[in-house]
Amino acid sequence: MHTVAIVALDGVVPFDLSIPTEVFRHVRLPFGGPGYQVRVCGLTPEVHAGAFRVKTHYGLGALARADTIILPGITDVSGPVPPRLVKVLRAAAGRGTRIASICSGAFLLAATGLLDGLRATTHWMATEELARRFPAIQVDPNVLYVDNGQFLTSAGAAAGLDLCLHMVRRDHGAAVAADAARFAVMPLERDGGQSQFITHVPPAPEGSSLEPLLHWMEDHLDRPLTLHDLARKAAMSDRTLSRRFREQTGTTPLQWLLHARVRRAQYLLETTEQSVEAVAEEVGFQSLTTFREHFQRFVTTSPLAYRRAFRGADRLSAGGRSAPPPPGAPRRRRAAS
């Protein structure tokens, strides 16, 4: 069982604390079992969380048995970081434990020195302060989250959801992450490189929201869609669609489409016996070479290696040799028959 330890200190941001608690607690694997064991840990049995108090069932000692540690945001980033927490986090990092921060939790992680020399992010309102206090960190104020492998950071609010779903996808694949996203009523297609500065324009009476177009795009991934095709479907000019898309999703129409195709390909590779060539065609890649290039860029492994990692070599067609799992993929135990 993959154990997620969430650290709650005095002044923890309740929303940031609830995001990983709810996302990881509700993850279900294909056979129906839970994907994670979630533990909320604190320096003290009770911590202040704004308008209320939170009782923690575990102390910091539980971090020694965690596979992933989450540091939610704190309301006062100028306060000192408890030396005991720094010591425990550094020890966990030495054991290879994955550590992630949400919003201003980046200040806690930065205080350990583990982010020195790495790229990181936090809520856009705090990026300048993070860069000033920790000049060894490459602070990026624009992205939703940054994945450095062992250490991950996210921006504020909903970006914490994006980060948690990203980790679920890393651990258990696109199909499990898609189920978790549906449970959270959260889109799975937003990736870390998208901008923090997304303005979600309310739908106008004329139906100017892009939601119908996004659903249509998901239903027609196999088509060779162009920007002009999408603009015509949305009854907009190419320029207007590009501007609306950037405002409402943080990316371009064609980049969103490309991500959707790769995510759908991940799902098909995990859940069907279709060949790589058939998967590429079904998700709209006209060239197998192009499919492999984009899949490698987004997933950091080949389609065949991805299938082997998430489904097991015994379920592949005869003749294939086992390949190592992609970075971040879990080592799965074979379920008992």
Side-chain angles (χ1 to χ4, degrees):
M1 177 67 69
H2 187 120
T3 300
V4 176
I6 305 167
V7 178
L9 303 179
D10 274 331
V12 66
V13 177
F15 185 62
D16 295 352
L17 176 62
S18 66
I19 286 172
T21 303
E22 290 302 292
V23 170
F24 291 111
R25 191 167 66 90
H26 291 290
V27 171
R28 289 295 177 268
L29 300 182
F31 59 83
Y36 301 91
Q37 182 179 61
V38 178
R39 295 176 174 175
V40 177
C41 311
L43 276 169
T44 56
E46 185 175 283
V47 298
H48 295 272
F52 51 85
R53 296 183 179 186
V54 175
K55 291 186 177 181
T56 59
H57 294 296
Y58 300 91
L60 292 188
L63 271 59
R65 300 180 296 277
D67 301 290
T68 295
I69 297 172
I70 308 290
L71 302 171
I74 50 175
T75 54
D76 183 10
V77 299
S78 64
V81 179
R84 185 182 168 205
L85 176 62
V86 172
K87 181 179 179 180
V88 169
L89 291 176
R90 290 188 63 85
R95 293 188 298 270
T97 304
R98 180 172 62 183
I99 306 176
S101 66
I102 296 175
C103 194
S104 55
F107 285 82
L108 301 176
L109 185 52
T112 66
L114 296 171
L115 291 179
D116 288 357
L118 300 178
R119 182 166 157 262
T121 193
T122 186
H123 192 287
W124 63 269
M125 293 182 66
T127 51
E128 290 187 4
E129 178 64 12
L130 184 66
R132 185 188 69 79
R133 289 176 53 184
F134 303 98
I137 299 174
Q138 304 167 28
V139 180
D140 190 336
N142 300 312
V143 296
L144 295 178
Y145 60 83
V146 176
D147 181 353
N148 291 297
Q150 185 180 5
F151 308 118
L152 303 91
T153 55
S154 80
L161 274 169
D162 293 299
L163 177 63
C164 289
L165 291 172
H166 169 72
M167 287 191 285
V168 172
R169 185 169 53 230
R170 251 182 56 170
D171 293 341
H172 299 298
V176 172
D179 287 339
R182 279 192 291 271
F183 186 88
V185 196
M186 179 73 182
L188 188 59
E189 298 307 331
R190 300 207 310 172
D191 74 319
Q194 293 185 18
S195 173
Q196 290 192 39
F197 309 105
I198 300 172
T199 57
H200 296 278
V201 181
E206 304 80 37
S208 64
S209 169
L210 293 179
E211 185 177 0
L213 178 63
L214 297 180
H215 288 309
W216 185 86
M217 291 167 67
E218 288 179 334
D219 291 338
H220 298 84
L221 294 177
D222 58 322
R223 297 188 182 183
L225 299 172
T226 65
L227 176 61
H228 184 67
D229 295 331
L230 300 175
R232 184 171 56 183
K233 179 65 180 178
M236 302 178 190
S237 68
D238 294 5
R239 180 177 297 180
T240 298
L241 177 63
S242 296
R243 176 173 56 81
R244 295 274 181 89
F245 225 92
R246 177 70 69 176
E247 289 173 347
Q248 296 191 29
T249 71
T251 189
T252 67
L254 296 183
Q255 278 298 308
W256 191 97
L257 186 64
L258 187 58
H259 276 87
R261 283 173 168 157
V262 171
R263 299 301 184 214
R264 178 70 60 80
Q266 288 178 276
Y267 181 86
L268 293 174
L269 289 168
E270 294 173 29
T271 60
T272 74
E273 300 292 342
Q274 295 182 60
S275 66
V276 172
E277 292 81 358
V279 169
E281 183 177 353
E282 183 166 335
V283 299
F285 286 98
Q286 305 304 305
S287 161
L288 182 58
T289 300
T290 301
F291 169 57
R292 285 174 172 155
E293 289 175 352
H294 285 301
F295 196 94
Q296 179 74 39
R297 182 157 64 94
F298 286 121
V299 191
T300 68
T301 190
S302 70
L304 188 56
Y306 181 86
R307 169 171 275 172
R308 284 172 172 152
F310 283 104
R311 301 189 62 203
D314 57 323
R315 298 181 60 185
L316 292 175
S317 300
R321 290 184 299 170
S322 179
R331 294 186 180 275
R332 296 201 170 188
R333 297 176 181 175
R334 185 171 299 179
S337 57

